[in-house]
Amino acid sequence: MGERSVQKKQLILEKAKEVFVEKGFRNVTMKDIVDACEISRGGLYLYFSSTEEIFREVLLTKEEEDHVLAESVGENATVSEIFALFLKEQKKEILRSKKTLAAAAYEYAFANPKDTTLKKQFNTGVAMLEKLIRMGIENEEFYDVDARIAAKNIMYVLEGLKIASLTMGVSGETVDNELYMLMQGLVIEEE
Amino acid sequence: MGERSVQKKQLILEKAKEVFVEKGFRNVTMKDIVDACEISRGGLYLYFSSTEEIFREVLLTKEEEDHVLAESVGENATVSEIFALFLKEQKKEILRSKKTLAAAAYEYAFANPKDTTLKKQFNTGVAMLEKLIRMGIENEEFYDVDARIAAKNIMYVLEGLKIASLTMGVSGETVDNELYMLMQGLVIEEE
Amino acid sequence: MGERSVQKKQLILEKAKEVFVEKGFRNVTMKDIVDACEISRGGLYLYFSSTEEIFREVLLTKEEEDHVLAESVGENATVSEIFALFLKEQKKEILRSKKTLAAAAYEYAFANPKDTTLKKQFNTGVAMLEKLIRMGIENEEFYDVDARIAAKNIMYVLEGLKIASLTMGVSGETVDNELYMLMQGLVIEEE
Amino acid sequence: MGERSVQKKQLILEKAKEVFVEKGFRNVTMKDIVDACEISRGGLYLYFSSTEEIFREVLLTKEEEDHVLAESVGENATVSEIFALFLKEQKKEILRSKKTLAAAAYEYAFANPKDTTLKKQFNTGVAMLEKLIRMGIENEEFYDVDARIAAKNIMYVLEGLKIASLTMGVSGETVDNELYMLMQGLVIEEE
DNA sequence: CATGAATGAGAGTTCATTCAT
DNA sequence: GATGAATGAACTCTCATTCAT
């Protein structure tokens, strides 16, 4: 597969992502993707042989984006500020969840219980938060909690908000309340 | 619709529920349900005209079960005990989520953003918890928190655990940790 | 599957047979059969799920016809006469082989080495001939040969003529010569 | 077409032959041959424009091999010996028929009734045998039979054994019995 | 000459939905 | 009411064949 093909593959992944965002996972057919990419029926099969295969690659692309995000966080000042920034990003993500892969990813996970991509992404998040919390504790910015358990708790609340956003809608205010509680549980307030 | 028809409809809903538990929502065809019910293809159409319609009714049945649960709680003694019992029930529910309608319900919600059934069920839960928390505060068993916000927080954590259980699996211990944190945030420990 | 369905299945088998006669085995698609039967695409799948399955049933039908033939032979007079009649039937069969299932059956056998239908039909032929030859020997109409080996030899010559007829064509005279040799090898000529 | 091209064409024919041996005729696609030859899709079309065309040339190659065989026979001593050697070769050929082009050739012939390649090969065999038998008769090694008819009979038995070997399997013993009968019908046994 | 990406026709298969009985 | 055969639309997937490079 030459240079040109790599570009085409990339194009397919981009267009396919839009389709998955719009239609979820199960609902998407190879034809949908063919139409979105404006290529021939057979053409798509040169690159991928099922919607599942395409979705897996789209998910990996997402993962990369997340990594980039995680690293860009590293440049900021105090741990509390980084944490606040992280939560702010999460809020954005939660509120626009209907315009992301989130629903499709859940559907995919339901259909593929063996696949561990979501789990890995979750664990990556936990690990990052854990590290952050440890730093906060060391700096005496955070209460002396069990960093791992606290990290997991944050991730579960975020998951809860995400699925709630997808299935019943949540207001910005609601998210703020939840995130505020998370901060409160960790950050030592100055008097 | 006569007596007999009502019974038949009930039978269909029961069998259909098993199918939805096993296969989710999108994956289920009218044929699957026809096969499970051992009725004729045409026969099913006398009662329901799509899997969506069937699923909606199945979901309502579930709602009733939940109500029953909520009321049975009422017989217990202290608020803390009731709360502990509630969490214990939730733990069970979370750990067996793969054997419940949960995944199908989420899939259904993704496909039907307008439908408010899940939202109503969530809100019912919030209301019940809010009432409980208010009672706890009055009894001085619970800290004096914002009951509504606390109730919502609990529900979001539970949602997070449920979707995590469905998509990546969670251990009993993990659930315990989370539920313990929820208790800790509310119940005033005696010294 | 009710009365009506059995008739339809029969109709499909008849029409399918014509298609197999005309096009062989591998070349035949479900669509070909659908067109020949003037039923819907999906309709055919109610009865059969592949051309192979259809062909197998068509072959069995043929087998029955052969059995009928074998028995009808039993009514005639001397063994030599029966034998002559048998060869005459075979000649007809060989010369019209292009209008029978023969080619399709060979193709099918190539594609399904495990299937023993052809072998069984061959063995049935051998058994019948062997019995006939034994009777001929007892009656002193036939030379005292090894009945089993002689029977097999006849069947192999007939197979050779059949495949030759299909792949290169044979004249009636050629068949006559071969069949005459077969008779000569068995029947004791009166002086 | 230059020297190099001829080599390439030869390579294609060799590899294609392996494919035809393995898969028969109808089952083989241009893609199969492209894959086997490790050339480009377009490249194959520079030399051949269909599997049929390729198969025709492969068949001619086979014909040459047979000729070589026929001539190599010429070096041996008595006619009976040559005849025995010929039958021995045929036995080998029959028993390994599943590893030869035989099935593909029959399939090809079914699909191309106009093609006379198989007929020519058959007639070449008949002619060779006829010549041999005439020599045997002259030498008084063979009975005084009609050489042409005897030659044809031998060829038909061999065809019968070949197709039987392909479609239902034959044992070495069975082949021996048949070939022994052929010898017996010709060779005058010394007392 | 040679490549291999791309096309589009066409086969296989499944299902929601209808309708005569 | 109930049945289940029948339909046809929609999808999946494969290949022969072409063509820009």
Side-chain angles (χ1 to χ4, degrees):
Chain A
M1 217 178 273
E3 174 83 20
R4 187 116 150 269
S5 303
V6 171
Q7 274 179 26
K8 186 121 184 199
K9 197 166 176 176
Q10 215 49 46
L11 173 81
I12 293 173
L13 288 175
E14 280 164 31
K15 293 292 182 183
K17 184 175 171 179
E18 292 171 19
V19 178
F20 285 122
V21 166
E22 194 198 323
K23 299 196 152 200
F25 170 64
R26 280 213 148 104
N27 215 15
V28 172
T29 68
M30 290 299 265
K31 187 175 178 299
D32 288 329
I33 295 174
V34 157
D35 290 346
C37 298
E38 289 178 317
I39 57 176
S40 67
R41 261 160 138 62
L44 180 54
Y45 282 88
L46 293 175
Y47 298 92
F48 301 99
S49 57
S50 68
T51 55
E52 216 170 292
E53 193 183 330
I54 301 174
F55 190 72
R56 257 193 293 273
E57 295 221 15
V58 170
L59 257 194
L60 293 181
T61 308
K62 180 188 177 296
E63 206 167 2
E64 281 164 30
E65 286 168 16
D66 287 356
H67 279 187
V68 171
L69 194 89
E71 281 162 30
S72 79
V73 164
E75 300 158 8
N76 289 279
T78 75
V79 175
S80 301
E81 276 168 11
I82 297 174
F83 187 58
L85 193 68
F86 169 77
L87 292 182
K88 205 174 139 194
E89 282 300 316
Q90 293 298 312
K91 181 184 170 187
K92 265 199 269 177
E93 183 85 6
I94 289 162
L95 291 178
R96 52 185 287 282
S97 62
K98 285 189 181 172
K99 287 164 193 159
T100 70
L101 281 175
Y106 285 138
E107 270 189 61
Y108 170 77
F110 295 158
N112 297 275
K114 300 279 171 63
D115 189 288
T116 57
T117 313
L118 279 200
K119 185 169 198 154
K120 276 184 202 152
Q121 290 182 6
F122 184 87
N123 286 340
T124 304
V126 170
M128 193 208 60
L129 276 174
E130 190 181 342
K131 201 170 135 193
L132 202 65
I133 293 171
R134 275 191 213 292
M135 283 167 57
I137 294 170
E138 237 160 67
N139 289 356
E140 299 189 330
E141 289 182 59
F142 288 1
Y143 295 115
D144 184 20
V145 298
D146 180 322
R148 180 155 193 81
I149 289 181
K152 275 186 164 184
N153 176 250
I154 292 169
M155 290 298 289
Y156 284 124
V157 172
L158 294 174
E159 284 293 316
L161 287 168
K162 207 160 45 163
I163 190 74
S165 170
L166 284 169
T167 56
M168 42 187 116
V170 290
S171 66
E173 198 189 352
T174 297
V175 179
D176 282 336
N177 284 338
E178 292 300 318
L179 300 190
Y180 181 69
M181 283 190 76
L182 291 179
M183 291 232 39
Q184 245 189 342
L186 274 183
V187 180
I188 300 170
E189 304 262 335
E190 296 175 31
E191 293 177 43
Chain B
M1 212 178 276
E3 173 85 20
R4 247 184 60 226
S5 302
V6 172
Q7 274 179 26
K8 189 137 185 186
K9 200 166 174 177
Q10 213 49 46
L11 173 82
I12 293 172
L13 289 175
E14 278 164 34
K15 293 293 182 183
K17 183 175 171 179
E18 292 171 18
V19 178
F20 286 122
V21 166
E22 195 197 321
K23 298 195 152 202
F25 171 63
R26 283 217 146 104
N27 214 15
V28 171
T29 68
M30 290 298 263
K31 186 175 178 297
D32 288 330
I33 294 174
V34 157
D35 290 347
C37 299
E38 289 176 321
I39 58 172
S40 68
R41 268 163 128 75
L44 180 55
Y45 278 88
L46 293 175
Y47 298 93
F48 302 98
S49 59
S50 69
T51 56
E52 220 171 284
E53 194 182 328
I54 301 172
F55 190 73
R56 256 193 294 274
E57 298 223 14
V58 170
L59 256 194
L60 293 181
T61 309
K62 180 187 176 296
E63 207 166 0
E64 281 163 32
E65 287 169 14
D66 287 355
H67 280 186
V68 171
L69 193 90
E71 278 160 34
S72 80
V73 165
E75 303 159 7
N76 288 281
T78 74
V79 176
S80 300
E81 276 169 8
I82 297 174
F83 187 58
L85 195 67
F86 169 78
L87 291 182
K88 205 173 141 195
E89 283 301 313
Q90 292 300 311
K91 180 183 170 186
K92 265 201 269 177
E93 184 84 5
I94 288 162
L95 291 178
R96 51 184 288 283
S97 62
K98 286 189 179 172
K99 287 164 193 158
T100 70
L101 280 176
Y106 284 140
E107 272 187 59
Y108 169 77
F110 296 158
N112 297 277
K114 302 278 170 61
D115 188 289
T116 56
T117 314
L118 278 199
K119 183 167 198 153
K120 276 183 202 150
Q121 291 182 5
F122 184 87
N123 287 339
T124 305
V126 170
M128 192 208 61
L129 276 174
E130 190 181 340
K131 200 170 137 194
L132 203 65
I133 293 170
R134 275 192 214 293
M135 285 167 58
I137 294 170
E138 238 158 69
N139 289 358
E140 297 189 332
E141 289 183 59
F142 288 0
Y143 295 115
D144 183 21
V145 297
D146 180 322
R148 179 154 195 80
I149 289 182
K152 275 188 165 185
N153 175 250
I154 291 168
M155 290 298 288
Y156 285 125
V157 172
L158 293 174
E159 284 293 315
L161 286 167
K162 206 160 44 163
I163 189 74
S165 172
L166 284 169
T167 57
M168 42 187 120
V170 291
S171 66
E173 197 191 353
T174 295
V175 178
D176 283 335
N177 285 338
E178 293 300 318
L179 300 190
Y180 182 68
M181 282 189 78
L182 292 179
M183 292 229 42
Q184 245 189 342
L186 274 183
V187 181
I188 300 170
E189 305 261 336
E190 298 176 28
E191 292 177 42
Chain C
M1 216 178 273
E3 174 84 20
R4 189 120 148 269
S5 302
V6 171
Q7 274 179 25
K8 185 120 184 199
K9 198 166 174 176
Q10 216 48 46
L11 173 82
I12 292 172
L13 288 175
E14 278 164 32
K15 292 293 181 181
K17 184 175 171 179
E18 292 170 18
V19 178
F20 285 123
V21 166
E22 194 198 325
K23 298 197 153 200
F25 171 63
R26 281 211 145 105
N27 215 16
V28 171
T29 69
M30 290 299 264
K31 189 174 177 298
D32 288 330
I33 295 174
V34 157
D35 291 346
C37 300
E38 288 178 318
I39 58 175
S40 66
R41 259 162 135 58
L44 180 53
Y45 282 88
L46 293 175
Y47 299 92
F48 302 99
S49 58
S50 68
T51 54
E52 216 171 292
E53 194 183 329
I54 301 173
F55 190 72
R56 257 193 293 272
E57 296 222 13
V58 170
L59 256 194
L60 293 182
T61 308
K62 180 189 176 299
E63 208 166 1
E64 281 164 32
E65 287 169 14
D66 288 356
H67 280 187
V68 170
L69 193 91
E71 280 161 32
S72 78
V73 164
E75 303 158 7
N76 289 280
T78 75
V79 175
S80 301
E81 275 168 11
I82 296 174
F83 187 59
L85 194 67
F86 168 77
L87 291 182
K88 203 173 142 196
E89 281 302 314
Q90 292 299 312
K91 179 184 170 187
K92 264 201 267 176
E93 183 86 6
I94 289 162
L95 291 179
R96 53 185 286 283
S97 62
K98 284 188 181 173
K99 287 165 195 160
T100 70
L101 281 177
Y106 285 138
E107 271 189 60
Y108 170 78
F110 295 158
N112 298 276
K114 302 278 171 62
D115 190 290
T116 56
T117 313
L118 279 199
K119 185 169 198 153
K120 275 182 203 153
Q121 291 182 5
F122 184 87
N123 287 340
T124 304
V126 170
M128 192 207 60
L129 277 174
E130 191 181 341
K131 202 170 134 194
L132 202 65
I133 293 170
R134 275 190 215 292
M135 285 166 57
I137 294 170
E138 239 160 66
N139 291 354
E140 299 188 331
E141 290 182 57
F142 288 180
Y143 294 116
D144 184 20
V145 297
D146 181 321
R148 179 154 195 81
I149 289 182
K152 275 187 165 185
N153 175 250
I154 291 168
M155 289 299 288
Y156 284 124
V157 172
L158 292 174
E159 284 293 316
L161 285 167
K162 203 160 47 163
I163 189 75
S165 170
L166 284 169
T167 56
M168 43 188 117
V170 290
S171 65
E173 196 190 354
T174 297
V175 178
D176 282 336
N177 284 338
E178 293 299 319
L179 300 189
Y180 181 67
M181 284 189 75
L182 291 179
M183 292 231 39
Q184 242 189 344
L186 275 182
V187 180
I188 300 170
E189 305 260 336
E190 298 175 29
E191 291 176 43
Chain D
M1 212 178 276
E3 174 86 19
R4 245 177 70 220
S5 303
V6 172
Q7 275 180 24
K8 189 138 184 186
K9 199 165 174 178
Q10 212 49 44
L11 173 82
I12 293 172
L13 289 175
E14 279 165 33
K15 294 292 181 183
K17 183 175 171 180
E18 292 171 18
V19 177
F20 285 122
V21 166
E22 195 197 322
K23 299 194 151 202
F25 171 63
R26 283 218 148 102
N27 213 15
V28 171
T29 68
M30 289 299 262
K31 186 173 179 296
D32 288 330
I33 295 174
V34 157
D35 289 347
C37 298
E38 290 176 320
I39 58 173
S40 67
R41 268 161 129 76
L44 181 54
Y45 278 87
L46 293 174
Y47 298 94
F48 302 99
S49 58
S50 70
T51 56
E52 219 170 285
E53 195 182 327
I54 301 172
F55 190 73
R56 255 193 293 274
E57 297 223 12
V58 170
L59 256 194
L60 293 182
T61 309
K62 180 186 177 298
E63 206 166 4
E64 282 163 30
E65 286 168 15
D66 287 356
H67 281 187
V68 171
L69 193 91
E71 279 160 32
S72 80
V73 164
E75 301 158 9
N76 288 280
T78 74
V79 174
S80 300
E81 276 167 10
I82 296 173
F83 186 59
L85 194 68
F86 169 78
L87 290 183
K88 204 172 140 196
E89 283 301 314
Q90 292 299 312
K91 180 185 170 187
K92 266 201 269 178
E93 184 84 5
I94 288 163
L95 290 178
R96 48 184 291 282
S97 62
K98 284 191 180 171
K99 288 165 192 156
T100 70
L101 280 176
Y106 285 139
E107 272 188 57
Y108 169 79
F110 296 158
N112 297 276
K114 302 279 171 62
D115 189 290
T116 57
T117 314
L118 278 199
K119 184 167 197 155
K120 276 183 203 153
Q121 291 182 6
F122 184 87
N123 286 339
T124 305
V126 171
M128 192 207 62
L129 276 174
E130 189 181 343
K131 201 170 136 195
L132 202 65
I133 293 170
R134 276 192 213 292
M135 283 167 59
I137 295 171
E138 237 158 69
N139 290 356
E140 299 189 330
E141 290 182 58
F142 288 0
Y143 295 115
D144 183 21
V145 298
D146 181 321
R148 177 152 196 84
I149 289 182
K152 275 186 163 186
N153 174 250
I154 292 168
M155 289 299 288
Y156 284 125
V157 171
L158 293 174
E159 285 293 316
L161 286 168
K162 206 159 46 164
I163 190 73
S165 171
L166 284 170
T167 57
M168 41 187 120
V170 290
S171 66
E173 198 191 353
T174 297
V175 179
D176 282 336
N177 285 337
E178 292 300 318
L179 300 190
Y180 181 68
M181 284 189 76
L182 291 179
M183 291 231 43
Q184 245 188 342
L186 274 183
V187 180
I188 300 170
E189 307 258 335
E190 297 176 29
E191 296 176 41

